[in-house]
Amino acid sequence: MSDFLRSNPLKRYLCSPNTNPMSATQLHWFRTEEREGKTYVFDPLRKRMVLLTPEEEVRQKMLYLLVEHLKVPAGLVAVEYSMKVNGLDKRADAVVFGTEGCPLMVVECKAPTVEITQAVLDQALRYHSALRPSFLLLSNGVVTYCFKTDGQTLQPLDHLPDFSEMKG
């Protein structure tokens, strides 16, 4: 496992009061309802209620961060994006696309109890091999890592790129 995965340079950014997704005042984010003893959350990008699992909570926070703070247009974010990787059906938690339809970032979310390890990075790199985005974002809601990649090397970032930086 890389030394970068042992540190958490983005923690200060994600814990800042100005960027805490849970301080959302928008009514369309984080609206929940109970059904048959289970909690569902409204996903404004998929425009439907989804089961609120620990991983889904992290995904919703990352989507909120992308759209509300990093200014990614909501219409350019694909949630649970399906693709073929080495002939197998796979699904990234989210993919940010540019205005021309090119993938800019793959987002991989895990539940808070799941460590972000080399195996998680390898999973995101497999998605990268199929899509060739310039950025990878990995998060379990506690620890978040962002990398810029040219396809050959990974450069750890100490910040999350906004949409204009993603576009280059």
Side-chain angles (χ1 to χ4, degrees), residues 27-131:
L27 295 177
H28 61 282
W29 291 100
F30 312 117
R31 183 173 54 97
T32 61
E33 66 181 46
E34 295 292 321
R35 285 192 223 153
E36 299 176 3
K38 295 182 180 178
T39 304
Y40 290 78
V41 63
F42 182 71
D43 181 329
L45 301 184
R46 291 181 274 184
K47 295 179 176 44
R48 63 182 174 92
M49 299 300 286
V50 293
L51 184 64
L52 183 59
T53 63
E55 182 176 329
E56 186 62 41
E57 182 175 351
V58 172
R59 180 173 25 240
Q60 290 301 311
K61 289 176 182 179
M62 290 298 106
L63 294 174
Y64 172 83
L65 186 66
L66 287 165
V67 172
E68 300 295 338
H69 291 280
L70 301 176
K71 303 305 179 198
V72 174
L76 296 179
V77 180
V79 182
E80 292 191 329
Y81 183 77
S82 296
M83 71 193 95
K84 290 273 189 196
V85 177
N86 298 324
L88 300 173
D89 291 328
K90 297 293 180 181
R91 197 168 54 201
D93 286 304
V95 177
V96 174
F97 289 90
T99 53
E100 287 80 37
C102 296
L104 301 176
M105 175 184 277
V106 168
V107 180
E108 186 56 35
C109 300
K110 298 295 180 191
T113 56
V114 177
E115 283 188 60
I116 302 296
T117 62
Q118 186 65 46
V120 175
L121 177 58
D122 291 344
Q123 178 184 3
L125 288 171
R126 285 190 292 277
Y127 300 159
H128 175 271
S129 71
L131 300 175

Side-chain angles (χ1 to χ4, degrees), residues 8 11 30 50 63 79 88 111 120 137 149-150 154 162:
N8 187 10
K11 185 174 183 179
F30 312 117
V50 293
L63 294 174
V79 182
L88 300 173
V120 175
L137 177 64
T149 178
D150 60 9
L154 281 178
D162 65 13

Side-chain angles (χ1 to χ4, degrees), residues 152-163:
Q152 301 297 316
T153 60
L154 281 178
Q155 175 188 353
L157 300 178
D158 63 357
H159 68 285
L160 297 178
D162 65 13
F163 187 61

